[in-house]
């Protein structure tokens, strides 16, 4: 009887362990689904495949911080895309929550949606690490977890992003090149950082400073925290000008409309600036470029949430997907700006200008986005 009992316990252990052994995605060979849309980050990017299931699916967006215009537009974009005919029929239930900057609160919200039986969870991570527990829980329940924008320092989940380090390098190189045209190889550079603790802020700052270092110039650097928010950035830049008097150039991760407004309000001369893709920033560059506001505008689109949602659904349908999906960086410079093409005088300053991804069949109009609310959908 003892042997039978031991054998029964062993068999029970194997039965319990079996789902765990096969839970989560498998690593498979590429290419994956819709490579023109879901492009791998590089040639070494692996491919993941989840077990195919029948839709429609329950999808949640778990945001963290919602205190700036980019995040607000991102939430509105997610809601607008969920109603788009291209994907609406594939979603049976759609929820959105914003948990603030507290990582445990975000992890708890993700865990709650997993326990509720949601099929996919799209998230902007509060922190690039600390997600191991919810990743394991998602795998045990075959839930597709898709971080985007502020991604995780792991290759265990499918992620969607633009190359933040490359964006920072482009910001820094633009500043160096524009100053070189003025014959300057030294000067004071103001860096306007994003939201502390995020991988995007970290990687962009690394890129900016790497470009300055590689130039060989003698650059005095002043760094302020603007939280990617126009109001915050305007205040900290105004304070920096009051303390330091003059800057030769500005590299701003976001809140760029506020950055330029601070320069204008203080009477600071127009200087080369690298910034994000806010509509207000592009309006100001177009207006003041002849006075020396030679700006580059590189877009980290709030529309990334739509690509992440589309990728999640594709994975749920059993398609092979790149573990890290690369979305190209859309760029405009002061001499390529055109009203009605890459900025709009009739749209608000805080509207982010890049929300169309033709290779993905994603085209969310400004009015459709602005008609939505940033409030949670519970």
């Amino acid at each position: 009887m003892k042997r039978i009992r031991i054998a029964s316990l062993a068999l029970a252990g194997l039965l319990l362990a079996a789902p765990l052994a096969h839970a989560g995605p498998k690593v498979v060979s590429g290419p994956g689904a819709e490579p023109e849309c879901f492009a791998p980050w590089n040639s070494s990017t692996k491919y993941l495949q989840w077990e195919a299931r029948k839709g429609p699916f329950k999808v949640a967006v778990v945001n963290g911080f919602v205190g700036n215009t980019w995040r607000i537009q991102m939430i509105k974009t997610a809601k607008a895309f969920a109603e788009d005919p291209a994907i609406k029929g594939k979603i049976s239930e759609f929820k959105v929550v914003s948990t603030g900057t507290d990582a445990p609160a975000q992890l708890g919200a993700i865990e709650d949606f997993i326990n509720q039986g949601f099929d996919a969870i799209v998230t902007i991570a509060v922190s690039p690490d600390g997600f191991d527990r919810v990743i394991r829980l998602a795998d045990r329940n075959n839930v597709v977890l898709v971080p985007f924008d502020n991604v995780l320092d792991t290759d265990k989940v499918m992620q969607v992003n633009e190359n933040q380090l490359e964006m920072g390098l482009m910001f820094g190189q633009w500043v160096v090149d524009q100053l070189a045209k003025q014959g300057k190889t030294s000067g004071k550079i103001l860096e306007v950082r994003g939201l502390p603790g995020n991988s995007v802020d970290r990687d962009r700052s690394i890129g900016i400073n790497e470009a300055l270092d590689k130039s060989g110039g003698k650059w005095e650097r002043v760094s302020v925290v603007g939280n990617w928010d126009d109001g915050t950035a305007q205040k900290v830049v105004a304070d920096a000008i009051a303390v330091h008097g003059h800057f030769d150039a500005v590299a701003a991760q976001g809140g760029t409309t506020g950055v330029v407004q601070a320069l204008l309000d203080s009477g600071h001369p127009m200087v080369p600036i690298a910034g994000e893709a806010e509509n207000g920033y592009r309006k100001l560059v177009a207006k003041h470029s002849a006075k020396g506001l030679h700006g580059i505008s590189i877009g980290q689109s709030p529309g990334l949430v739509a690509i992440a949602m589309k990728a999640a659904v594709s994975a749920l349908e059993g398609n092979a997907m790149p573990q890290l999906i690369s979305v190209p960086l859309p760029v405009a410079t002061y001499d390529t700006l055109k009203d009605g093409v890459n900025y709009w005088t009739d749209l608000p300053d805080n509207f982010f200008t890049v929300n169309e991804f033709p290779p993905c069949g994603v085209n969310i109009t400004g009015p459709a986005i602005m008609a939505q609310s940033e409030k949670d959908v519970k």
Side-chain angles (χ1 to χ4, degrees):
M1 288 294 293
K2 186 175 182 180
R3 289 182 180 177
I4 293 173
R5 182 182 298 171
I6 292 172
S8 298
L9 289 172
L11 178 60
L14 287 171
L15 290 172
L16 287 171
L20 298 181
H22 298 287
K26 299 180 296 183
V27 177
V28 297
S29 299
E34 300 184 55
E36 69 282 0
C37 175
F38 306 126
W41 194 260
N42 54 41
S43 59
S44 63
T45 300
K46 65 183 181 181
Y47 288 79
L48 302 177
Q49 186 173 35
W50 284 259
E51 181 181 350
R53 64 194 81 174
K54 186 177 180 180
F57 307 109
K58 298 172 67 175
V59 178
V61 174
V62 179
N63 179 44
F65 181 71
V66 74
N68 61 35
T69 54
W70 192 98
R71 293 295 183 99
I72 291 170
Q73 187 173 326
M74 181 275 295
I75 294 296
K76 292 181 177 183
T77 302
K79 293 179 178 180
F81 186 59
E83 293 296 319
D84 191 281
I87 200 169
K88 184 176 182 179
K90 297 183 177 184
I91 297 178
S92 61
E93 187 175 354
F94 182 67
K95 301 290 187 182
V96 178
V97 296
S98 295
T99 59
T101 58
D102 182 51
Q106 186 177 53
L107 294 170
I110 293 172
E111 183 173 346
D112 186 45
F113 279 122
I114 293 173
N115 292 334
Q116 288 182 44
F118 273 70
D119 300 292
I121 300 167
V122 172
T123 185
I124 295 185
V126 168
S127 170
D129 51 28
F131 278 69
D132 293 349
R133 178 174 59 84
V134 294
I135 291 172
R136 289 193 296 268
L137 182 63
D139 285 348
R140 285 198 298 270
N141 290 274
N142 279 316
V143 175
V144 178
L145 180 63
V146 188
F148 73 99
D149 184 50
N150 288 327
V151 294
L152 304 177
D153 290 336
T154 180
D155 64 354
K156 303 299 183 185
V157 293
M158 177 174 63
Q159 309 197 78
V160 176
N161 207 5
E162 294 171 347
N163 191 325
Q164 306 301 326
L165 179 63
E166 180 63 23
M167 186 184 291
L169 287 167
M170 292 169 70
F171 282 160
Q173 193 60 50
W174 173 264
V175 165
V176 169
D177 290 344
Q178 293 301 306
L179 291 176
K181 291 179 180 179
Q182 301 175 15
K184 295 182 179 180
T185 57
S186 64
K188 189 180 293 183
I189 310 296
L190 177 63
E191 179 188 7
V192 184
R193 298 284 299 262
L195 192 66
N198 286 273
S199 61
V200 169
D201 171 69
R202 176 197 65 194
D203 293 348
R204 289 185 186 179
S205 183
I206 289 172
I208 290 168
N209 286 281
E210 185 177 317
L212 294 177
D213 291 340
K214 286 183 175 179
S215 73
K218 296 181 179 179
W219 309 111
E220 181 183 349
R221 304 167 204 191
V222 176
S223 179
V224 295
V225 176
N227 289 341
W228 304 317
D229 174 67
D230 283 332
T232 305
Q234 183 171 344
K235 181 181 185 306
V236 296
V237 170
D239 291 345
I241 292 171
V243 172
H244 295 275
H246 178 81
F247 294 97
D248 294 282
V250 182
Q253 289 195 23
T256 331
T257 308
V259 171
V260 177
Q261 195 59 53
L263 295 175
L264 291 169
D265 291 347
S266 68
H268 193 286
M270 293 294 96
V271 295
I273 185 168
E276 250 276 9
E278 302 98 337
N279 194 46
Y281 169 51
R282 292 189 176 187
K283 288 181 190 178
L284 289 169
V285 171
K287 182 178 180 180
H288 297 284
S289 61
K291 299 177 182 177
L293 185 59
H294 289 181
I296 188 172
S297 173
I298 307 176
Q300 172 80 348
S301 173
L304 282 175
V305 68
I307 306 301
M309 290 165 62
K310 182 180 173 73
V313 169
S314 181
L316 290 168
E317 292 173 337
N319 295 308
M321 303 292 292
Q323 182 271 317
L324 184 54
I325 295 170
S326 174
V327 178
L329 293 168
V331 178
T333 56
Y334 71 97
D335 50 355
T336 65
L337 289 174
K338 187 175 180 181
D339 192 8
V341 176
N342 48 20
Y343 77 98
W344 290 264
T345 54
D346 58 345
L347 286 179
D349 287 353
N350 60 11
F351 183 79
F352 281 80
T353 56
V354 185
N355 293 285
E356 299 175 355
F357 301 89
C360 295
V362 173
N363 183 9
I364 313 165
T365 67
I369 293 169
M370 300 306 288
Q372 302 291 332
S373 163
E374 70 271 22
K375 293 182 179 178
D376 289 356
V377 179
K378 296 182 179 179

